[in-house]
Amino acid sequence: MIEGIFVEGLIYGIMALGVFFTFRVLDFPDLTVDGSFPLGAVIMARCIDSGIGLTAGITLAFAGGVAAGAVTALIHNKLKVPHLLAGILTMTMLYSVNIRILGNRANLPLMRKETLLTKATALTHGTLSETWTLLLLFVLVVLVIKVLMDLFFHTDMGLTFGAMGSNTQMVISQGVNPDTYKMIGVGLSNGLVALSGAFAAQYQGFADINLGQGIVVSGLASVMIGEFLIRSTRISMLTLRVIIGAIFYKAIMFLGRYYGYTIHLTPNDLKLVSGVLIIGALVITQMKKPTKGTK
Amino acid sequence: MIAIQDASLIFNAGTPNENRVFDAFNLTVKKGEFVTIIGSNGAGKSTLFNLLSGTVMPNTGRILLNGREVTKEPEFKRAKTIGRIFQDPLAGTASNMSLEDNMMVCLKKGFKGLTIGLTQSRRLFFKEQLATLQMGLEERLKDNVGLLSGGQRQALTLLMMVLSTPKLVLLDEHTAALDPRNAEIVLSLTSRFVKEYGLTTLMVTHNMQQAIDLGNRLLMMDAGEVVLDIGAEEKKGLTVEKLVAMFSKIRNKKFTSDEALLSR
């Protein structure tokens, strides 16, 4: 069981990293996530189903996410629409797009198909149990993504993203077009989210167009739990705590699902729990906030 | 270097709130000039800077920088040759990032790619440069800029601006929000940098004495016009009293900025 929580936490941690990028680094509350997560899932499922291949599936899922994010940023930049509305627009449109990608279906099972997971378990067959194989696989995947992300934030472009989130005027004064950067940033973020969706589809064994409902809230909750657990300003710690936050979030959801009945909680209440979790985190950070001027 | 030709700027044109800030405004500044600009509130000093840096576009007229027409160019494009410092000491730096990260972002103008520019030799270079500020900042490269005082942040902004080698410098009352001691330090740094790098500079100030002491040309603005344009020679014998008297004579009204008169 505990391995399951870790694996799920790691998979959703990739999505939380994307949410962290837009919400925390760029200061661009992006709701495209609710559409780009299932987008990654359906692209991956379709690629597996039609035998296009795993590498192609993962690449296409990432590219699809980048494109979705870029569309949101484009709507926001060119039409001067607030970020929230731009995200909702893309998310809504993606719902139809996702159904199309699945071939006018709402879901697509991946039973008896070769996925990254079946490949990995076949490789370690006899030496490691299936759950441990998956755990190892996703620890590796997430580690690679985390390290790449840390490296990215050390490049000149990554630093500029950091500066843009806290002081857009400063970045404009450096001759940088903030619109271009928003497109790159929101694109990359949604690329990560779609990647997470691609892994989630393989892990669950199916892709469903409703996979993304409320996912942005769970991502945000993960980010906040992480911030609550670890205090730091170093980027490697910031990304680490997002992943840890995602694992904790999954653990809380797991507890809610399996032991919630003792307080008459049903799985239907979990969305409410996620929301309350975020509100709770907000309240606590409000209370912990030092008096003005000491920051 | 700069030429503003017949520029007019009207806010809320065609509404009851119509506000004509500039009407056929003309200004030329030569390369290497250090121009100080004074004027009462609402005279159009900051709007002049906004016009030059592209935050607002003129309704009619042309703006030339280095002989290139930039009238319709967006702010970020023009910013490649302009270094602008605001009154707010927080405006030029990102508080949640370290000193070295801030300096890295500001080192070169223009699009930033996927290279890691913050190398050990860069850090040494930053240290050397910070040492010239004599504020002990060279030991605090890893500190978040949010921990620095307003004066330190403004000095850092000034240094970063100079290092990015702008062709034109716009200082928008950049010492007004600082305490007198820090204002003094930032001001002396300003004159040192302007001399050292031969920067073409426009500086808005509320302090008349400052405007007289610094620079080699003085402009006084009122209601969207340059009412006094005093060159280097004439500026030498100038005092605040003379300046106020000259203003009253030309505009036939009293110079109204208490702040400007009090902060001698």
Side-chain angles (χ1 to χ4, degrees), chain B residues 124-142:
Chain B
L124 277 177
F125 170 72
F126 288 161
K127 266 192 175 173
E128 277 168 32
Q129 294 299 324
L130 283 170
T132 63
L133 297 180
Q134 295 173 329
M135 288 179 158
L137 293 180
E138 62 275 16
E139 301 304 325
R140 303 180 63 181
L141 274 181
K142 304 268 180 204

mmCIF file with all atom_site columns, all heavy atoms in Angstrom, chain B residues 124-142:
data_model
loop_
_atom_site.group_PDB
_atom_site.id
_atom_site.type_symbol
_atom_site.label_atom_id
_atom_site.label_alt_id
_atom_site.label_comp_id
_atom_site.label_asym_id
_atom_site.label_entity_id
_atom_site.label_seq_id
_atom_site.pdbx_PDB_ins_code
_atom_site.Cartn_x
_atom_site.Cartn_y
_atom_site.Cartn_z
_atom_site.occupancy
_atom_site.B_iso_or_equiv
_atom_site.pdbx_formal_charge
_atom_site.auth_seq_id
_atom_site.auth_comp_id
_atom_site.auth_asym_id
_atom_site.auth_atom_id
_atom_site.pdbx_PDB_model_num
ATOM 1   N N   . LEU B 1 124 ? 33.366 36.358 -9.292  1.00 0.00 ? 124 LEU B N   1
ATOM 2   C CA  . LEU B 1 124 ? 34.509 37.212 -8.935  1.00 0.00 ? 124 LEU B CA  1
ATOM 3   C C   . LEU B 1 124 ? 34.320 38.613 -9.497  1.00 0.00 ? 124 LEU B C   1
ATOM 4   O O   . LEU B 1 124 ? 34.566 39.613 -8.816  1.00 0.00 ? 124 LEU B O   1
ATOM 5   C CB  . LEU B 1 124 ? 35.816 36.602 -9.466  1.00 0.00 ? 124 LEU B CB  1
ATOM 6   C CG  . LEU B 1 124 ? 36.433 35.530 -8.583  1.00 0.00 ? 124 LEU B CG  1
ATOM 7   C CD1 . LEU B 1 124 ? 37.673 34.955 -9.246  1.00 0.00 ? 124 LEU B CD1 1
ATOM 8   C CD2 . LEU B 1 124 ? 36.768 36.094 -7.201  1.00 0.00 ? 124 LEU B CD2 1
ATOM 9   N N   . PHE B 1 125 ? 33.882 38.656 -10.745 1.00 0.00 ? 125 PHE B N   1
ATOM 10  C CA  . PHE B 1 125 ? 33.643 39.945 -11.391 1.00 0.00 ? 125 PHE B CA  1
ATOM 11  C C   . PHE B 1 125 ? 32.581 40.739 -10.617 1.00 0.00 ? 125 PHE B C   1
ATOM 12  O O   . PHE B 1 125 ? 32.755 41.928 -10.342 1.00 0.00 ? 125 PHE B O   1
ATOM 13  C CB  . PHE B 1 125 ? 33.202 39.701 -12.843 1.00 0.00 ? 125 PHE B CB  1
ATOM 14  C CG  . PHE B 1 125 ? 32.706 40.926 -13.556 1.00 0.00 ? 125 PHE B CG  1
ATOM 15  C CD1 . PHE B 1 125 ? 33.599 41.927 -13.947 1.00 0.00 ? 125 PHE B CD1 1
ATOM 16  C CD2 . PHE B 1 125 ? 31.350 41.094 -13.824 1.00 0.00 ? 125 PHE B CD2 1
ATOM 17  C CE1 . PHE B 1 125 ? 33.147 43.061 -14.605 1.00 0.00 ? 125 PHE B CE1 1
ATOM 18  C CE2 . PHE B 1 125 ? 30.893 42.233 -14.480 1.00 0.00 ? 125 PHE B CE2 1
ATOM 19  C CZ  . PHE B 1 125 ? 31.792 43.213 -14.863 1.00 0.00 ? 125 PHE B CZ  1
ATOM 20  N N   . PHE B 1 126 ? 31.491 40.057 -10.236 1.00 0.00 ? 126 PHE B N   1
ATOM 21  C CA  . PHE B 1 126 ? 30.439 40.728 -9.476  1.00 0.00 ? 126 PHE B CA  1
ATOM 22  C C   . PHE B 1 126 ? 30.985 41.253 -8.154  1.00 0.00 ? 126 PHE B C   1
ATOM 23  O O   . PHE B 1 126 ? 30.658 42.351 -7.723  1.00 0.00 ? 126 PHE B O   1
ATOM 24  C CB  . PHE B 1 126 ? 29.275 39.765 -9.196  1.00 0.00 ? 126 PHE B CB  1
ATOM 25  C CG  . PHE B 1 126 ? 28.449 39.453 -10.408 1.00 0.00 ? 126 PHE B CG  1
ATOM 26  C CD1 . PHE B 1 126 ? 27.624 38.338 -10.432 1.00 0.00 ? 126 PHE B CD1 1
ATOM 27  C CD2 . PHE B 1 126 ? 28.488 40.277 -11.525 1.00 0.00 ? 126 PHE B CD2 1
ATOM 28  C CE1 . PHE B 1 126 ? 26.853 38.040 -11.550 1.00 0.00 ? 126 PHE B CE1 1
ATOM 29  C CE2 . PHE B 1 126 ? 27.720 39.985 -12.649 1.00 0.00 ? 126 PHE B CE2 1
ATOM 30  C CZ  . PHE B 1 126 ? 26.911 38.860 -12.654 1.00 0.00 ? 126 PHE B CZ  1
ATOM 31  N N   . LYS B 1 127 ? 31.813 40.438 -7.515  1.00 0.00 ? 127 LYS B N   1
ATOM 32  C CA  . LYS B 1 127 ? 32.411 40.844 -6.241  1.00 0.00 ? 127 LYS B CA  1
ATOM 33  C C   . LYS B 1 127 ? 33.220 42.117 -6.403  1.00 0.00 ? 127 LYS B C   1
ATOM 34  O O   . LYS B 1 127 ? 33.094 43.064 -5.625  1.00 0.00 ? 127 LYS B O   1
ATOM 35  C CB  . LYS B 1 127 ? 33.317 39.724 -5.698  1.00 0.00 ? 127 LYS B CB  1
ATOM 36  C CG  . LYS B 1 127 ? 32.607 38.819 -4.751  1.00 0.00 ? 127 LYS B CG  1
ATOM 37  C CD  . LYS B 1 127 ? 33.591 37.933 -4.017  1.00 0.00 ? 127 LYS B CD  1
ATOM 38  C CE  . LYS B 1 127 ? 32.816 37.126 -2.987  1.00 0.00 ? 127 LYS B CE  1
ATOM 39  N NZ  . LYS B 1 127 ? 33.593 36.131 -2.318  1.00 0.00 ? 127 LYS B NZ  1
ATOM 40  N N   . GLU B 1 128 ? 34.061 42.122 -7.425  1.00 0.00 ? 128 GLU B N   1
ATOM 41  C CA  . GLU B 1 128 ? 34.891 43.311 -7.689  1.00 0.00 ? 128 GLU B CA  1
ATOM 42  C C   . GLU B 1 128 ? 34.028 44.544 -7.876  1.00 0.00 ? 128 GLU B C   1
ATOM 43  O O   . GLU B 1 128 ? 34.294 45.608 -7.311  1.00 0.00 ? 128 GLU B O   1
ATOM 44  C CB  . GLU B 1 128 ? 35.702 43.114 -8.976  1.00 0.00 ? 128 GLU B CB  1
ATOM 45  C CG  . GLU B 1 128 ? 36.979 42.338 -8.821  1.00 0.00 ? 128 GLU B CG  1
ATOM 46  C CD  . GLU B 1 128 ? 37.545 41.965 -10.189 1.00 0.00 ? 128 GLU B CD  1
ATOM 47  O OE1 . GLU B 1 128 ? 37.347 42.738 -11.149 1.00 0.00 ? 128 GLU B OE1 1
ATOM 48  O OE2 . GLU B 1 128 ? 38.146 40.882 -10.286 1.00 0.00 ? 128 GLU B OE2 1
ATOM 49  N N   . GLN B 1 129 ? 32.977 44.372 -8.687  1.00 0.00 ? 129 GLN B N   1
ATOM 50  C CA  . GLN B 1 129 ? 32.112 45.512 -8.977  1.00 0.00 ? 129 GLN B CA  1
ATOM 51  C C   . GLN B 1 129 ? 31.375 45.981 -7.720  1.00 0.00 ? 129 GLN B C   1
ATOM 52  O O   . GLN B 1 129 ? 31.273 47.181 -7.472  1.00 0.00 ? 129 GLN B O   1
ATOM 53  C CB  . GLN B 1 129 ? 31.101 45.147 -10.071 1.00 0.00 ? 129 GLN B CB  1
ATOM 54  C CG  . GLN B 1 129 ? 31.725 44.890 -11.413 1.00 0.00 ? 129 GLN B CG  1
ATOM 55  C CD  . GLN B 1 129 ? 32.463 46.094 -11.958 1.00 0.00 ? 129 GLN B CD  1
ATOM 56  O OE1 . GLN B 1 129 ? 32.057 47.230 -11.768 1.00 0.00 ? 129 GLN B OE1 1
ATOM 57  N NE2 . GLN B 1 129 ? 33.595 45.855 -12.606 1.00 0.00 ? 129 GLN B NE2 1
ATOM 58  N N   . LEU B 1 130 ? 30.894 45.018 -6.926  1.00 0.00 ? 130 LEU B N   1
ATOM 59  C CA  . LEU B 1 130 ? 30.157 45.387 -5.710  1.00 0.00 ? 130 LEU B CA  1
ATOM 60  C C   . LEU B 1 130 ? 31.070 46.103 -4.719  1.00 0.00 ? 130 LEU B C   1
ATOM 61  O O   . LEU B 1 130 ? 30.634 46.985 -3.988  1.00 0.00 ? 130 LEU B O   1
ATOM 62  C CB  . LEU B 1 130 ? 29.554 44.136 -5.069  1.00 0.00 ? 130 LEU B CB  1
ATOM 63  C CG  . LEU B 1 130 ? 28.314 43.594 -5.754  1.00 0.00 ? 130 LEU B CG  1
ATOM 64  C CD1 . LEU B 1 130 ? 27.953 42.226 -5.190  1.00 0.00 ? 130 LEU B CD1 1
ATOM 65  C CD2 . LEU B 1 130 ? 27.133 44.535 -5.578  1.00 0.00 ? 130 LEU B CD2 1
ATOM 66  N N   . ALA B 1 131 ? 32.345 45.714 -4.736  1.00 0.00 ? 131 ALA B N   1
ATOM 67  C CA  . ALA B 1 131 ? 33.292 46.345 -3.816  1.00 0.00 ? 131 ALA B CA  1
ATOM 68  C C   . ALA B 1 131 ? 33.397 47.843 -4.081  1.00 0.00 ? 131 ALA B C   1
ATOM 69  O O   . ALA B 1 131 ? 33.611 48.631 -3.158  1.00 0.00 ? 131 ALA B O   1
ATOM 70  C CB  . ALA B 1 131 ? 34.663 45.677 -3.940  1.00 0.00 ? 131 ALA B CB  1
ATOM 71  N N   . THR B 1 132 ? 33.205 48.249 -5.342  1.00 0.00 ? 132 THR B N   1
ATOM 72  C CA  . THR B 1 132 ? 33.324 49.673 -5.658  1.00 0.00 ? 132 THR B CA  1
ATOM 73  C C   . THR B 1 132 ? 32.197 50.484 -5.014  1.00 0.00 ? 132 THR B C   1
ATOM 74  O O   . THR B 1 132 ? 32.300 51.699 -4.902  1.00 0.00 ? 132 THR B O   1
ATOM 75  C CB  . THR B 1 132 ? 33.277 49.913 -7.189  1.00 0.00 ? 132 THR B CB  1
ATOM 76  O OG1 . THR B 1 132 ? 31.995 49.491 -7.674  1.00 0.00 ? 132 THR B OG1 1
ATOM 77  C CG2 . THR B 1 132 ? 34.365 49.161 -7.915  1.00 0.00 ? 132 THR B CG2 1
ATOM 78  N N   . LEU B 1 133 ? 31.127 49.817 -4.583  1.00 0.00 ? 133 LEU B N   1
ATOM 79  C CA  . LEU B 1 133 ? 30.039 50.547 -3.917  1.00 0.00 ? 133 LEU B CA  1
ATOM 80  C C   . LEU B 1 133 ? 30.396 50.878 -2.467  1.00 0.00 ? 133 LEU B C   1
ATOM 81  O O   . LEU B 1 133 ? 29.762 51.715 -1.841  1.00 0.00 ? 133 LEU B O   1
ATOM 82  C CB  . LEU B 1 133 ? 28.746 49.721 -3.927  1.00 0.00 ? 133 LEU B CB  1
ATOM 83  C CG  . LEU B 1 133 ? 28.124 49.370 -5.272  1.00 0.00 ? 133 LEU B CG  1
ATOM 84  C CD1 . LEU B 1 133 ? 26.864 48.548 -5.058  1.00 0.00 ? 133 LEU B CD1 1
ATOM 85  C CD2 . LEU B 1 133 ? 27.767 50.628 -6.042  1.00 0.00 ? 133 LEU B CD2 1
ATOM 86  N N   . GLN B 1 134 ? 31.385 50.173 -1.940  1.00 0.00 ? 134 GLN B N   1
ATOM 87  C CA  . GLN B 1 134 ? 31.836 50.343 -0.553  1.00 0.00 ? 134 GLN B CA  1
ATOM 88  C C   . GLN B 1 134 ? 30.690 50.219 0.448   1.00 0.00 ? 134 GLN B C   1
ATOM 89  O O   . GLN B 1 134 ? 30.538 51.036 1.354   1.00 0.00 ? 134 GLN B O   1
ATOM 90  C CB  . GLN B 1 134 ? 32.531 51.701 -0.403  1.00 0.00 ? 134 GLN B CB  1
ATOM 91  C CG  . GLN B 1 134 ? 33.790 51.736 -1.236  1.00 0.00 ? 134 GLN B CG  1
ATOM 92  C CD  . GLN B 1 134 ? 34.437 53.101 -1.255  1.00 0.00 ? 134 GLN B CD  1
ATOM 93  O OE1 . GLN B 1 134 ? 33.753 54.113 -1.172  1.00 0.00 ? 134 GLN B OE1 1
ATOM 94  N NE2 . GLN B 1 134 ? 35.759 53.125 -1.358  1.00 0.00 ? 134 GLN B NE2 1
ATOM 95  N N   . MET B 1 135 ? 29.869 49.204 0.245   1.00 0.00 ? 135 MET B N   1
ATOM 96  C CA  . MET B 1 135 ? 28.765 48.967 1.178   1.00 0.00 ? 135 MET B CA  1
ATOM 97  C C   . MET B 1 135 ? 28.877 47.579 1.797   1.00 0.00 ? 135 MET B C   1
ATOM 98  O O   . MET B 1 135 ? 27.966 47.133 2.486   1.00 0.00 ? 135 MET B O   1
ATOM 99  C CB  . MET B 1 135 ? 27.431 49.059 0.424   1.00 0.00 ? 135 MET B CB  1
ATOM 100 C CG  . MET B 1 135 ? 27.064 50.467 0.031   1.00 0.00 ? 135 MET B CG  1
ATOM 101 S SD  . MET B 1 135 ? 25.514 50.458 -0.865  1.00 0.00 ? 135 MET B SD  1
ATOM 102 C CE  . MET B 1 135 ? 24.998 52.160 -0.624  1.00 0.00 ? 135 MET B CE  1
ATOM 103 N N   . GLY B 1 136 ? 29.954 46.897 1.507   1.00 0.00 ? 136 GLY B N   1
ATOM 104 C CA  . GLY B 1 136 ? 30.131 45.549 2.044   1.00 0.00 ? 136 GLY B CA  1
ATOM 105 C C   . GLY B 1 136 ? 29.279 44.500 1.353   1.00 0.00 ? 136 GLY B C   1
ATOM 106 O O   . GLY B 1 136 ? 29.159 43.377 1.821   1.00 0.00 ? 136 GLY B O   1
ATOM 107 N N   . LEU B 1 137 ? 28.681 44.871 0.229   1.00 0.00 ? 137 LEU B N   1
ATOM 108 C CA  . LEU B 1 137 ? 27.791 43.932 -0.465  1.00 0.00 ? 137 LEU B CA  1
ATOM 109 C C   . LEU B 1 137 ? 28.558 42.783 -1.110  1.00 0.00 ? 137 LEU B C   1
ATOM 110 O O   . LEU B 1 137 ? 27.987 41.741 -1.403  1.00 0.00 ? 137 LEU B O   1
ATOM 111 C CB  . LEU B 1 137 ? 26.969 44.660 -1.535  1.00 0.00 ? 137 LEU B CB  1
ATOM 112 C CG  . LEU B 1 137 ? 25.945 45.661 -1.024  1.00 0.00 ? 137 LEU B CG  1
ATOM 113 C CD1 . LEU B 1 137 ? 25.199 46.297 -2.173  1.00 0.00 ? 137 LEU B CD1 1
ATOM 114 C CD2 . LEU B 1 137 ? 24.967 44.987 -0.083  1.00 0.00 ? 137 LEU B CD2 1
ATOM 115 N N   . GLU B 1 138 ? 29.865 42.988 -1.320  1.00 0.00 ? 138 GLU B N   1
ATOM 116 C CA  . GLU B 1 138 ? 30.645 41.939 -1.993  1.00 0.00 ? 138 GLU B CA  1
ATOM 117 C C   . GLU B 1 138 ? 30.694 40.653 -1.172  1.00 0.00 ? 138 GLU B C   1
ATOM 118 O O   . GLU B 1 138 ? 30.972 39.586 -1.702  1.00 0.00 ? 138 GLU B O   1
ATOM 119 C CB  . GLU B 1 138 ? 32.058 42.440 -2.320  1.00 0.00 ? 138 GLU B CB  1
ATOM 120 C CG  . GLU B 1 138 ? 32.929 42.840 -1.137  1.00 0.00 ? 138 GLU B CG  1
ATOM 121 C CD  . GLU B 1 138 ? 32.682 44.277 -0.697  1.00 0.00 ? 138 GLU B CD  1
ATOM 122 O OE1 . GLU B 1 138 ? 31.654 44.854 -1.093  1.00 0.00 ? 138 GLU B OE1 1
ATOM 123 O OE2 . GLU B 1 138 ? 33.512 44.812 0.049   1.00 0.00 ? 138 GLU B OE2 1
ATOM 124 N N   . GLU B 1 139 ? 30.381 40.743 0.119   1.00 0.00 ? 139 GLU B N   1
ATOM 125 C CA  . GLU B 1 139 ? 30.370 39.540 0.961   1.00 0.00 ? 139 GLU B CA  1
ATOM 126 C C   . GLU B 1 139 ? 28.983 38.901 1.017   1.00 0.00 ? 139 GLU B C   1
ATOM 127 O O   . GLU B 1 139 ? 28.778 37.925 1.710   1.00 0.00 ? 139 GLU B O   1
ATOM 128 C CB  . GLU B 1 139 ? 30.804 39.900 2.392   1.00 0.00 ? 139 GLU B CB  1
ATOM 129 C CG  . GLU B 1 139 ? 32.197 40.520 2.497   1.00 0.00 ? 139 GLU B CG  1
ATOM 130 C CD  . GLU B 1 139 ? 33.262 39.638 1.895   1.00 0.00 ? 139 GLU B CD  1
ATOM 131 O OE1 . GLU B 1 139 ? 33.140 38.401 2.009   1.00 0.00 ? 139 GLU B OE1 1
ATOM 132 O OE2 . GLU B 1 139 ? 34.197 40.194 1.278   1.00 0.00 ? 139 GLU B OE2 1
ATOM 133 N N   . ARG B 1 140 ? 28.015 39.505 0.337   1.00 0.00 ? 140 ARG B N   1
ATOM 134 C CA  . ARG B 1 140 ? 26.637 39.039 0.513   1.00 0.00 ? 140 ARG B CA  1
ATOM 135 C C   . ARG B 1 140 ? 26.007 38.546 -0.793  1.00 0.00 ? 140 ARG B C   1
ATOM 136 O O   . ARG B 1 140 ? 24.801 38.638 -0.968  1.00 0.00 ? 140 ARG B O   1
ATOM 137 C CB  . ARG B 1 140 ? 25.800 40.174 1.102   1.00 0.00 ? 140 ARG B CB  1
ATOM 138 C CG  . ARG B 1 140 ? 26.364 40.680 2.413   1.00 0.00 ? 140 ARG B CG  1
ATOM 139 C CD  . ARG B 1 140 ? 25.530 41.806 2.985   1.00 0.00 ? 140 ARG B CD  1
ATOM 140 N NE  . ARG B 1 140 ? 24.172 41.361 3.312   1.00 0.00 ? 140 ARG B NE  1
ATOM 141 C CZ  . ARG B 1 140 ? 23.241 42.174 3.806   1.00 0.00 ? 140 ARG B CZ  1
ATOM 142 N NH1 . ARG B 1 140 ? 23.520 43.441 4.000   1.00 0.00 ? 140 ARG B NH1 1
ATOM 143 N NH2 . ARG B 1 140 ? 22.040 41.716 4.079   1.00 0.00 ? 140 ARG B NH2 1
ATOM 144 N N   . LEU B 1 141 ? 26.842 38.005 -1.684  1.00 0.00 ? 141 LEU B N   1
ATOM 145 C CA  . LEU B 1 141 ? 26.360 37.562 -3.001  1.00 0.00 ? 141 LEU B CA  1
ATOM 146 C C   . LEU B 1 141 ? 25.188 36.595 -2.927  1.00 0.00 ? 141 LEU B C   1
ATOM 147 O O   . LEU B 1 141 ? 24.323 36.583 -3.780  1.00 0.00 ? 141 LEU B O   1
ATOM 148 C CB  . LEU B 1 141 ? 27.499 36.891 -3.766  1.00 0.00 ? 141 LEU B CB  1
ATOM 149 C CG  . LEU B 1 141 ? 28.429 37.796 -4.577  1.00 0.00 ? 141 LEU B CG  1
ATOM 150 C CD1 . LEU B 1 141 ? 29.480 36.972 -5.275  1.00 0.00 ? 141 LEU B CD1 1
ATOM 151 C CD2 . LEU B 1 141 ? 27.654 38.614 -5.576  1.00 0.00 ? 141 LEU B CD2 1
ATOM 152 N N   . LYS B 1 142 ? 25.176 35.757 -1.882  1.00 0.00 ? 142 LYS B N   1
ATOM 153 C CA  . LYS B 1 142 ? 24.137 34.718 -1.796  1.00 0.00 ? 142 LYS B CA  1
ATOM 154 C C   . LYS B 1 142 ? 22.905 35.207 -1.046  1.00 0.00 ? 142 LYS B C   1
ATOM 155 O O   . LYS B 1 142 ? 21.918 34.495 -0.953  1.00 0.00 ? 142 LYS B O   1
ATOM 156 C CB  . LYS B 1 142 ? 24.687 33.484 -1.074  1.00 0.00 ? 142 LYS B CB  1
ATOM 157 C CG  . LYS B 1 142 ? 25.933 32.897 -1.696  1.00 0.00 ? 142 LYS B CG  1
ATOM 158 C CD  . LYS B 1 142 ? 25.598 31.827 -2.706  1.00 0.00 ? 142 LYS B CD  1
ATOM 159 C CE  . LYS B 1 142 ? 26.871 31.270 -3.304  1.00 0.00 ? 142 LYS B CE  1
ATOM 160 N NZ  . LYS B 1 142 ? 26.653 30.686 -4.614  1.00 0.00 ? 142 LYS B NZ  1
#
